[in-house]
Amino acid sequence: MTWIISGDAKVEHADHPFRHWVINGLWGRDRLLAVRSEIERVDSAWDYFDNPNERKKAITETRQSMPETGSMLTHLHSPAMLEFLTTLTGISGLIPRQEGGGAHRIEPGGFLGTHVDFNRASDGLHRRLNCLVYLNPDWGTEEGGELEL
């Protein structure tokens, strides 16, 4: 099943292994490359994770120090996006949060293993929806990175 949501954005829906959507074209390539470039320029404030499940770095506070990234997050948390996601998913009462989110970077030799995200926020709210934005233009399977659901 496919929906056109605006402009060139295209939503693909699947129910296996669980209900999920892939949205291509929500932002233009130039905007995504600007966010990626901004993230690549950050050389401090990263939290490092190196354990059997992951080898990556992450930064959660992006709005002040990274305006392009912050603008994208603001858009993801906007009333218009929440309305779109409510229509898409059928989940009402969505509250935008960034707990556990932010910019994550996996460099050569790094990885993020198959895992289950938490479903309860620190204040007990039920985490119902995850949004992932990949900033890897022209990513091929030979790089070894695939989304596995």
Side-chain angles (χ1 to χ4, degrees):
M1 181 179 299
T2 301
W3 298 273
I4 302 299
I5 57 172
S6 66
D8 294 331
K10 183 177 176 182
V11 179
E12 299 171 26
H13 170 260
D15 287 322
H16 183 75
F18 49 81
R19 232 174 16 147
H20 66 279
W21 298 263
V22 175
I23 304 173
N24 287 307
L26 186 60
W27 294 290
R29 183 177 175 90
D30 288 345
R31 182 162 188 199
L32 294 172
L33 290 174
V35 170
R36 179 187 168 138
S37 175
E38 187 173 72
I39 290 169
E40 288 176 338
R41 286 192 308 267
V42 173
D43 59 359
S44 62
W46 291 99
D47 294 318
Y48 292 87
F49 299 86
D50 190 355
N51 59 64
N53 296 318
E54 60 194 346
R55 185 175 304 127
K56 67 175 187 174
K57 54 186 186 178
I59 184 170
T60 56
E61 199 49 52
T62 56
R63 289 176 198 260
Q64 302 300 327
S65 61
M66 300 163 63
E68 293 288 339
T69 306
S71 174
M72 179 177 280
L73 290 170
T74 297
H75 179 249
L76 285 170
H77 294 171
S78 71
M81 182 58 81
L82 291 176
E83 181 180 335
F84 165 72
L85 292 171
T86 295
T87 301
L88 181 70
T89 65
I91 302 170
S92 60
L94 291 172
I95 300 169
R97 301 285 292 272
Q98 191 178 317
E99 189 170 342
H104 295 245
R105 187 168 176 184
I106 299 175
E107 297 179 330
F111 62 93
L112 177 60
T114 303
H115 65 282
V116 175
D117 283 345
F118 63 90
N119 64 356
R120 290 282 172 198
S122 60
D123 59 4
L125 286 176
H126 188 194
R127 186 179 185 188
R128 302 277 312 271
L129 197 55
N130 243 356
C131 179
L132 307 174
V133 178
Y134 287 90
L135 301 170
N136 307 77
D138 309 317
W139 190 264
T141 56
E142 63 276 3
E143 279 89 17
E146 294 88 25
L147 173 62
E148 181 180 343
L149 300 176

